[in-house]
Amino acid sequence: MARVLLAALALASGAPAGHAQEPARPTPRWDFIAFEVKGWGEPISSWRLTGKGGGSWTETRKDEGEPLGSYTLVWHEIEEDAQLFIALENILAKLPEPAPDPNECANFMPDLAYGTIRLTKGATTTEIAWNSGCMDEDYRAFMAMLKRADMLVSEAGRKGSVLREEHFPQG
């Protein structure tokens, strides 16, 4: 009897008997996610992804001896990959709300990387500023999640083809 019901359900759904349908992809929590890393006012890296998992990753290239304020940005394509976006959302879903404030840090080391992550859904963007100079235990845990997200997307970006390069001479 159970086999008859399974076969009937499979026929009604259009799936071949004995084969389960692929699970539907969950609706993304965000439509767009952007992340940037800076140091001493200069970009270090950044990335942006749409809800379909495609976007770009940008790295800063600096030739030896170039003065502060002079660098080249190299944009790499990240091809659409729904699994990449799901993995990214799974990491970011663990971020505390509200995010810890680096201005309330008890153990702060200046001159380390800082930046923002922007999470967009429709017309609303949540922007979280971060500063890796905060060495408080709870803040280090927060930074570990951001680093995991950055490593995940940066790895995909490094594999992508170069879209363009733009040189920024000393300002």
Side-chain angles (χ1 to χ4, degrees), residues 14-15 17 27 29 38 51 53-55 62 64-65 74 90 92 123 149 156 161 163 169 171:
T27 303
R29 184 172 175 191
K38 292 184 174 186
K62 194 168 180 78
E64 192 174 323
V74 183
N90 287 338
L92 298 178
S161 59
L163 298 170

Side-chain angles (χ1 to χ4, degrees), residues 54-78:
S56 64
W57 172 71
T58 307
E59 64 178 319
T60 301
R61 189 178 67 223
K62 194 168 180 78
D63 294 328
E64 192 174 323
E66 274 192 286
L68 189 65
S70 181
Y71 51 86
T72 300
L73 295 180
V74 183
W75 280 266
H76 300 259
E77 178 179 26
I78 298 175

Side-chain angles (χ1 to χ4, degrees), residues 83-163:
Q83 294 306 311
L84 171 65
F85 200 81
I86 290 169
L88 177 61
E89 281 195 322
N90 287 338
I91 294 169
L92 298 178
K94 297 173 186 164
L95 290 176
E97 289 184 32
D101 186 349
N103 294 317
E104 295 177 7
C105 184
N107 184 14
F108 190 80
M109 185 183 307
D111 300 332
L112 294 181
Y114 59 93
T116 56
I117 185 165
R118 292 175 185 88
L119 309 165
T120 301
K121 183 70 172 178
T124 302
T125 298
T126 300
E127 181 174 294
I128 301 170
W130 56 268
N131 191 316
S132 65
C134 183
M135 298 295 153
D136 292 359
E137 188 174 332
D138 65 330
Y139 204 85
R140 286 195 334 251
F142 167 72
M143 285 304 305
M145 285 181 266
L146 291 180
K147 286 179 183 178
R148 281 185 51 216
D150 186 37
M151 287 174 46
L152 175 73
V153 179
S154 295
E155 183 179 309
R158 282 184 185 88
K159 295 175 185 174
S161 59
V162 172
L163 298 170

